[in-house]
Amino acid sequence: MAFRLAPTAASEGFRLEAHDSVGSTNALALEHARAGDPGKLWVVSKKQESGRGRRGRAWATPEGNLAATLLVVPGGELRLAATLGFVAGLALADALDAVVPKGRIAVALDGASQGRNRFELKWPNDVLASGAKLAGILLESAMLEGSRFAVAIGIGVNVVAYPEDLPYPATSLSALGADCDAETLFLALSDAWSENARIWDDGRGLDAIRKRWLARAAGLGGEVAVRIDGNVVRGVFETIDEDCRFVIRDNEGSVLTIAAGDVHFGAVASARA
């Protein structure tokens, strides 16, 4: 099966550029933006040679996994465009729900889960299954002429394989017993993106996105540790605020709002975040 767009996405003017292998789908999408591409372009591949995650970390995409980047050239503020990562998380979780039969993956019941969803969202940019990292999302931007900017929304999913030398649990759809390939998942993702982007509505529907995200949030109400520039803050994950920042109540009872950091749950939060 070849990569293809869902009919809803095609009817809304989205385009598709598919590759067998690329260096980085994000880098390629931003190259297109600098060359004048108007956006609404999906760049996808089943293999990525030099993918990257947050803070410059490497992101492995061996043959059969999914690397997908949506290029958008929004007209609003960069601050609002940054919340597209939450739209992407919801779209991917919805797509996974659509293509993975119920019963194949159990609801996680550990410290990183409220036991409500098979696929949960970990702030700010991960998708978990059975408490382990299944997918990551990376937003990168580039300034264009005329004070415009482009955003590359990168989505990497462990479909057939996952890295094992990580300081946190990871998994793949194959390891979880889900028989789904990258092409099928992308088809559902392109459809789910359209639905969630309509809710987001250029930022006007951010509150609705926030509420939907919280309904899938991993670790909500539980103990967390957040590593921020080498320092660790511990407390209870209370919510995300109107700008989708992480809100915790620390051990002294103070409410802290965090814009960026690495979040750890449960036993890891207590021991060695």
Side-chain angles (χ1 to χ4, degrees):
M1 176 180 173
F3 283 113
R4 57 193 178 95
L5 289 169
T8 49
S11 70
E12 292 175 1
F14 287 90
R15 294 166 294 127
L16 175 63
E17 178 180 304
H19 299 266
D20 292 327
S21 178
V22 296
S24 161
T25 55
N26 266 25
L28 185 54
L30 290 176
E31 284 179 20
H32 290 327
R34 295 185 185 101
D37 192 286
K40 300 186 78 171
L41 172 69
W42 282 102
V43 180
V44 299
S45 178
K46 291 192 292 184
K47 185 178 181 181
Q48 202 170 216
E49 302 288 350
S50 54
R52 55 190 181 271
R54 292 176 63 233
R55 303 173 187 250
R57 298 164 182 152
W59 178 269
T61 310
E63 180 72 33
N65 281 3
L66 175 64
T69 294
L70 176 61
L71 175 66
V72 296
V73 183
E77 303 175 35
L78 187 57
R79 176 186 65 83
L80 281 175
T83 64
L84 283 168
F86 296 86
V87 180
L90 284 166
L92 179 56
D94 288 347
L96 288 163
D97 272 340
V99 300
V100 178
K102 287 180 172 56
R104 289 293 178 90
I105 295 177
V107 172
L109 296 174
D110 60 14
S113 172
Q114 294 294 308
R116 297 169 298 180
N117 298 285
R118 295 183 301 158
F119 303 103
E120 295 190 309
L121 302 176
K122 180 186 174 213
W123 188 90
N125 62 354
D126 292 344
V127 178
L128 307 182
S130 297
K133 183 169 178 174
L134 176 67
I137 295 163
L138 176 67
L139 268 62
E140 295 183 290
S141 62
M143 296 306 299
L144 307 176
E145 293 182 359
S147 299
R148 298 179 305 123
F149 62 91
V151 178
I153 306 161
I155 302 170
V157 187
N158 299 329
V159 177
V160 300
Y162 65 92
E164 299 184 19
D165 55 345
L166 299 174
Y168 51 82
T171 192
S172 67
L173 289 176
S174 178
L176 291 166
D179 183 17
C180 174
D181 58 27
E183 294 91 340
T184 300
L185 179 56
F186 173 72
L187 181 67
L189 174 61
S190 66
D191 182 49
W193 173 269
S194 294
E195 178 183 352
N196 283 280
R198 282 194 293 272
I199 295 170
W200 184 73
D201 191 21
D202 292 328
R204 290 181 289 268
L206 181 56
D207 186 58
I209 289 293
R210 173 184 170 274
K211 290 174 181 175
R212 291 198 73 217
W213 191 96
L214 282 169
R216 282 191 178 269
L220 188 63
E223 290 188 5
V224 295
V226 186
R227 183 177 293 276
I228 309 168
D229 297 328
N231 298 314
V232 176
V233 178
R234 303 179 191 277
V236 173
F237 174 22
E238 291 210 332
T239 189
I240 59 173
D241 71 6
E242 63 275 7
D243 293 317
C244 295
R245 295 174 298 184
F246 198 68
V247 180
I248 70 172
R249 186 174 297 276
D250 71 14
N251 295 337
E252 282 70 49
S254 299
V255 174
L256 304 177
T257 301
I258 299 165
D262 292 323
V263 174
H264 302 271
F265 296 119
V268 176
S270 301
R272 59 175 183 82

